[in-house]
Amino acid sequence: MAPGVKLPLTALKRSFYILNTPTAYILLTLRLSVTSGEAKLASPEQLLKSMTLEEKVSLVVGWGPARRVPGAAGETRPVKVPSMVTSDGPSGLRIEPTKERKWYATAFPVPTMLASTWNLELVERVGRAIGEEAREYGVDIFLAPGINIHRHPLCGRNFEYFSEDPLLSGVVAAAYVKGVQSAGVGATPKHFAANEQETNRVIIDTVVSERALREIYLKPFEIVVKEAKPWAIMSAYNKLNGKYCSQNEWLLTKVLREEWGFNGIVMTDWGAGDNPVEQIKAGNDLIMPGSDEIVTKLLEAVKKGALSESELDRSALRILRVAQLSLSYRGYRYSNQPNLEAHAQLAYEAAAEGVVLLKNEGALPLKEGSRVAVFGTGQIETLKGGMGSGHTHPKRVVTILESLRERLKVEEELSSAYEKYVLEKRGREFLEKIYYEEAYPEPLPQDIVSEEQVAKFAERNDAAIIVITRISGEGWDRRLEKGDFYLSNSERKLIEMVSRQFRAKGKPVVVVLNICGPIEVVSWRDLVDAILLVWLPGQEAGRVVADALVGRINPSGKLPTTFPRDWPDVPAAKSPECYPGVPPENPRVVRYCEGVYVGYRYYDTFGVEPAYEFGFGLSYTKFEYRNLTVEKAGDKVKVSFEVVNVGSYPGKEVAQVYVKAPRGKLDKPFQELKAFKKTRLLKPGESEKIELEINIRDLASFDESEKVWLVEKGTYEVKVGASSRNIRLTGTFTVENDIKFKP
């Protein structure tokens, strides 16, 4: 919708108007009733006064799945206002297919890949497209994005989350939310808070210090609440320091509302918590998916005095206020026909900027028309996204093999053998579900060819491409075993055979990683010449892979999460009761013993070498950084520098600014990301001047002894570079005195 466009009126009773800017939107709503020829405003407060006790209770308890929009996750009950329909995400709108309709929606790259773009404008455009699809299918509130932290590389829903870093997670999420809500649809950042694993997620007690909680796990939510003003927040399944998040008044009222100023609704995750009365008292306004039994419990609680009517009114009023923003309230006549073709092109663009080149020893880009031998079942069963509430139902999915056939001369004897093998093992119906619906593809053996056959393929092809896939989803976590974090025996055998035969003839071996999260790479990466990480790139997967391999796309993605060398190097692995599988098998408690030392904060502080560091990503061109200036002006630090393309290909660079704090009262990580900017496309020889600001307040650590945010005096080092370990320029500034902020 263009700025200033009015949507259709319905029966002269409702209208709304949206003003959109690149950074924010203003939503003006009117609820009009026609009486004696005059339009009168019906405020949420007036509606609340007109409601019976039974109506108020019904309003705070939802329904699920949705009745008005088939296949949607749930909806509120129509009490004084129309129901609001909610639907899952975050890689695109998830509306489950019915017998009558497929409900196609664009499959965008997963959030980890969106974060790999480091491009806030692009992410906002993706959010807007998703919001438009939600709008045209009659959805009022979109249940995304997920902004939990990549604390642990094996969390089953990490693909739904952005990063291990709270700043990157928060600002990317804010861009995403702005985009969704610019289409007139509410967004719901989730899962609030400290929900970093799936195993026993509905009962697990996350034990974490207040400092780590505020600096790492709450920080992305704080950023998105303050910058993007989401309509809703979803509370998490887990307990937080002994109290269910959906029943935690400190979390939902003191921090979220009183400290951060959130004024939307808080809803439960589906079936979360164990006490609806405590949920309402704590500040969780909407219980989802709800039931008539919960309505009865709340009604009895009010009548008995266990829940005050004022507490109930508080939640009901918040729901009414959000309801008056909704498309349903405004009578928007949705079309059921979103612009899927335009959004497919955007899905391609977003994935193209999220591709991360991990290794390249002169192998890439390949020349178009080169002869290539493609190994691995992933060329056929290409993975667009993850499973669970984050899956999507696109109209089409482009496989890697399909697109390679368009850009290169594929060794058909080999690829046809893989096609036949996959069809025999999977069946066409199962493959269709992998592409378009939801199915878990148990890994197949990959070494279906002999060494003699590989030698033949090496003789008549210019390069080898090996596709490795991994998938995960809601409800389970990945495992420390072969075929998941580690290569399977057949994958290892395949890489070894291909490496021997192709390299013996001086021909490169390229690995494409179509994966949901980090895997171990150190033990095999020396066997190959290039590694291209494409994550779970959405419905345009094949086009993106092929175009990156031949140089139509110059990879510009950077890692939003660290790839460890091996499992023992992971900071969470060093904590007792830290994760499923590292005892106990059936955990009731997870302790965040590593504190604030999550991801690169740990690796950099304690000198642990990663396989690929946070912020890492190669390009087909080269960039230089020049002319750094650092100036402290009042409560801001201004950082300026130039990025120059000194290579031979056009490309984009992600310039990252880290700050190293002086030694003081509080232990601090070695350095922390404080700003970043992705350049425009720079031609060889072109430069771009980057100007960034860092708020002094954002340098603060949380002092638990005084319950304040503390910026300690001393000299701070500003480190500008291409990754957390590839620093090109350094400067300093000084803070003369300690500065304290109240939460």
Side-chain angles (χ1 to χ4, degrees), residues 14 16 26 29 49 63 147 154 211 245 312 314 319 339 350 368 416 467 511 524 579 595 622 655 684 703 725:
R14 303 174 186 127
F16 76 113
I26 304 168
T29 64
K49 288 179 181 178
W63 274 332
I147 51 175
L154 299 186
R211 179 183 176 188
C245 288
L312 178 63
R314 180 185 61 188
I319 294 170
N339 192 342
E368 289 199 37
S416 295
V467 182
V511 169
W524 56 267
Y579 209 74
K622 295 184 182 299
D703 185 348
R725 295 200 170 199

Side-chain angles (χ1 to χ4, degrees), residues 551-571:
R552 291 194 179 196
I553 293 169
N554 185 351
S556 62
K558 302 275 189 166
L559 288 180
T561 195
T562 302
F563 270 53
R565 291 182 64 87
D566 202 356
W567 170 255
D569 295 331
V570 174

